Amino acid sequence: MGSSIYGVSSSHISLFLFFSFLSLSTAALPQNPSGKSSPSGQINSNSVLVALLDSHYTELAELVEKALLLQTLEEAVGKHNITIFAPRNEAVERQLDPEFKRFLLEPGNLKSLQTLLMFHIIPKRVGSHQWPDPKTGPVKHNTLCNDHIRLTSQSTGKKTVDSAELVRPDDVIRPDGVIHGIQQLLIPRSVIEDFNRRRNLRSITAVLPEGAPEVDPRTHRLKKPAPVPVGAPPVLPIYEAMAPGPSLAPAPAPGPGGPRHHFDGESQVKDFIQTLLHYGGYNEMADILVNLTSLATEMGRLVSEGYVITVLAPNDEAMAKLTTDQLSEPGAPEQIIYYHIIPEYQTEESMYNAVRRFGKVKYDTLRLPHKVVAQEADGSVKFGHGEGSAYLFDPDIYTDGRISVQGIDGVLFPEEETQTVKKPAAVKVASKPRRGKLLEVGCWMLGSLGGGSGFRWCQ
């Protein structure tokens, strides 16, 4: 009697309620008819990014991986369709200036490489049929690097992207984007300016020599401050500009920067620490500079005042060998790092040429009065003495004309001053005066001839 209601069984009612709930839950889910990836950043196998990595634009795909842009592009694809203008492999591999390509692949210029690659991508789907008409003129489109490119059509049917010709329109089409093949690489103006600035090194151009100013020995300050030309090196040595100690405020240092901040040392130090992290194998060094000490701020202030430094950065394997006793003493991390900072701008080439020419070279460090010794060994540069030595392992990790970072495979310590043990002076024993040989022989002969009288005379 209770198993049916108006001729409908309870099992039919249960199925009806289940399908009703399923339809409501399905309607509540977000729809994605375009086939784009989810906002969580995961992409499907039919994505335009997967197609780019598997396409014949291998040089562009390799640059995208080296620039660490995959996650950024996944987020862009998750929000909207994209259009990628992919240059031919020959344009990147052979037709690109070797010096400019070397500049892009240096770890310190990662931001420039990312800007250049994102300049080839617009957050909008633009097919070849959507190019502007020749009569309307060029049309601007914003790129992922907050710059814009111009799409132009000519009366001859030729289509261009800025100065690059469209050679393979609609080469790869996917639900979340499209890839067009272009003749050459697109280079934004900001990247060209960065390249010229690094190549010319305008911040360290030579200046005419002038007379040394007078320094007050009591205050270590200039007696008569003279105007310093822009770009000139600081007048006082770097040791006068360093902070007196962790408990005192940093001492002001003269230099071309001063309150005008001609050199942005803070950004340069942040840039080289980020380069250490992206390079890999130097996380411990970066952690000490940022978290364990205030040396990053100190180095940034020194560079802002116009000073140059070279950092000998031990890798993680070398830093792991430090004991707790070596790091637990107050100020020990600072003293260790100070011994690895040379107040000069040196590259791998300059140091190797120096040790090849002079054999051993002693470089000043920020840990006064200790110096680090460099010499040639096994075709490289070797620092330190004996078992506490380290080799130049990763040359020129970061070089920007102000800060140079050279990776080494060991932690350096100053050579211990061994006290020579003085030997006790030999005590002179006064010996009895010996008789001459002739006198002894004469006394013996007299004694043998004349009995005991000769012997007594000799006594």
Side-chain angles (χ1 to χ4, degrees):
M1 295 288 296
S3 60
S4 60
I5 301 177
Y6 296 101
V8 181
S9 63
S10 60
S11 60
H12 287 80
I13 295 176
S14 300
L15 290 175
F16 174 76
L17 293 176
F18 173 74
F19 283 110
S20 299
F21 174 76
L22 183 61
S23 61
L24 290 175
S25 60
T26 305
L29 292 176
Q31 301 297 321
N32 192 13
S34 62
K36 294 186 293 186
S37 61
S38 61
S40 62
Q42 298 179 355
I43 60 176
N44 52 45
S45 59
N46 200 29
S47 173
V48 68
L49 295 181
V50 178
L52 174 64
L53 298 178
D54 294 339
S55 65
H56 55 272
Y57 301 106
T58 56
E59 291 292 329
L60 179 64
E62 185 178 354
L63 290 179
V64 170
E65 293 181 353
K66 289 183 178 180
L68 308 176
L69 282 178
L70 289 179
Q71 183 177 0
T72 303
L73 297 182
E74 287 176 5
E75 295 175 357
V77 170
K79 296 178 181 179
H80 33 241
N81 272 233
I82 63 174
T83 301
I84 302 176
F85 302 102
R88 301 177 301 115
N89 286 339
E90 293 79 6
V92 180
E93 186 177 7
R94 299 185 182 90
Q95 299 177 4
L96 196 62
D97 182 16
E99 187 177 357
F100 180 71
K101 187 175 182 180
R102 192 182 310 113
F103 161 79
L104 293 176
L105 297 180
E106 287 180 358
N109 304 324
L110 181 63
K111 292 182 180 178
S112 298
L113 178 60
Q114 291 177 342
T115 302
L116 181 138
L117 293 176
M118 290 192 293
F119 188 68
H120 291 73
I121 304 173
I122 58 177
K124 181 180 180 181
R125 188 186 187 94
V126 179
S128 59
H129 62 282
Q130 296 175 309
W131 240 256
D133 190 81
K135 299 179 181 179
T136 60
V139 176
K140 292 183 180 180
H141 288 279
N142 291 328
T143 64
L144 290 183
C145 66
N146 296 326
D147 206 337
H148 61 270
I149 57 178
R150 293 180 175 86
L151 305 185
T152 310
S153 298
Q154 300 180 4
S155 57
T156 58
K158 180 180 178 181
K159 299 178 181 179
T160 59
V161 182
D162 278 355
S163 59
E165 181 183 355
L166 188 69
V167 292
R168 298 176 67 96
D170 300 328
D171 194 11
V172 178
I173 299 176
R174 291 293 184 270
D176 56 356
V178 60
I179 300 177
H180 301 292
I182 57 178
Q183 184 70 20
Q184 61 187 23
L185 196 69
L186 303 176
I187 304 177
R189 183 180 296 274
S190 60
V191 176
I192 297 178
E193 293 176 354
D194 292 341
F195 171 64
N196 292 332
R197 190 180 306 112
R198 294 289 177 89
R199 181 176 59 179
N200 297 335
L201 295 178
R202 296 176 181 175
S203 59
I204 57 172
T205 52
V207 294
L208 294 176
E210 298 180 357
E214 297 182 9
V215 180
D216 191 345
R218 296 176 303 170
T219 61
H220 296 281
R221 293 292 177 265
L222 297 178
K223 289 184 178 180
K224 295 180 180 180
V228 181
V230 177
V235 178
L236 295 178
I238 191 172
Y239 308 104
E240 302 293 342
M242 293 173 58
S247 60
L248 302 177
R260 297 185 300 274
H261 297 289
H262 179 71
F263 304 110
D264 190 0
E266 182 179 354
S267 298
Q268 289 176 273
V269 171
K270 182 179 179 181
D271 191 15
F272 102 76
I273 292 177
Q274 289 290 335
T275 302
L276 283 179
L277 297 176
H278 289 309
Y279 194 87
Y282 294 89
N283 296 334
E284 296 294 332
M285 181 71 177
D287 185 61
I288 288 181
L289 291 176
V290 177
N291 300 322
L292 196 58
T293 66
S294 60
L295 294 181
T297 305
E298 175 77 2
M299 293 166 62
R301 189 180 59 81
L302 291 174
V303 175
S304 295
E305 296 295 343
Y307 296 94
V308 294
I309 57 175
T310 297
V311 181
L312 303 178
N315 55 18
D316 290 344
E317 184 178 355
M319 297 294 288
K321 297 179 181 179
L322 291 175
T323 61
T324 307
D325 296 337
Q326 292 174 326
L327 295 173
S328 59
E329 297 182 3
E334 288 88 348
Q335 294 300 322
I336 293 176
I337 301 302
Y338 274 143
Y339 189 64
H340 290 75
I341 300 178
I342 300 174
E344 303 176 21
Y345 185 78
Q346 297 286 342
T347 62
E348 184 265 343
E349 182 180 2
S350 64
M351 289 190 292
Y352 184 72
N353 291 337
V355 297
R356 281 288 303 272
R357 181 178 181 183
F358 301 107
K360 286 187 177 181
V361 179
K362 290 185 178 180
Y363 293 105
D364 292 328
T365 66
L366 295 189
R367 184 176 177 180
L368 285 175
H370 300 287
K371 298 184 178 183
V372 60
V373 179
Q375 57 184 328
E376 182 190 6
D378 302 330
S380 181
V381 182
K382 177 183 176 183
F383 301 95
H385 309 269
E387 297 180 355
S389 60
Y391 285 85
L392 184 56
F393 191 69
D394 290 319
D396 297 338
I397 296 178
Y398 181 87
T399 52
D400 65 352
R402 285 279 150 195
I403 302 175
S404 173
V405 181
Q406 308 293 327
I408 59 178
D409 62 352
V411 180
L412 301 174
F413 291 95
E415 187 179 11
E416 297 180 358
E417 299 178 357
T418 57
Q419 298 180 355
T420 58
V421 180
K422 297 182 179 180
K423 297 181 179 180
V427 179
K428 295 183 179 180
V429 180
S431 58
K432 296 181 179 180
R434 296 182 60 187
R435 297 169 177 175
K437 281 288 184 181
L438 292 177
L439 183 60
E440 292 181 5
V441 173
C443 292
W444 179 78
M445 292 179 66
L446 290 176
S448 60
L449 294 176
S453 59
F455 179 74
R456 287 190 301 271
W457 180 82
C458 290
Q459 294 290 334

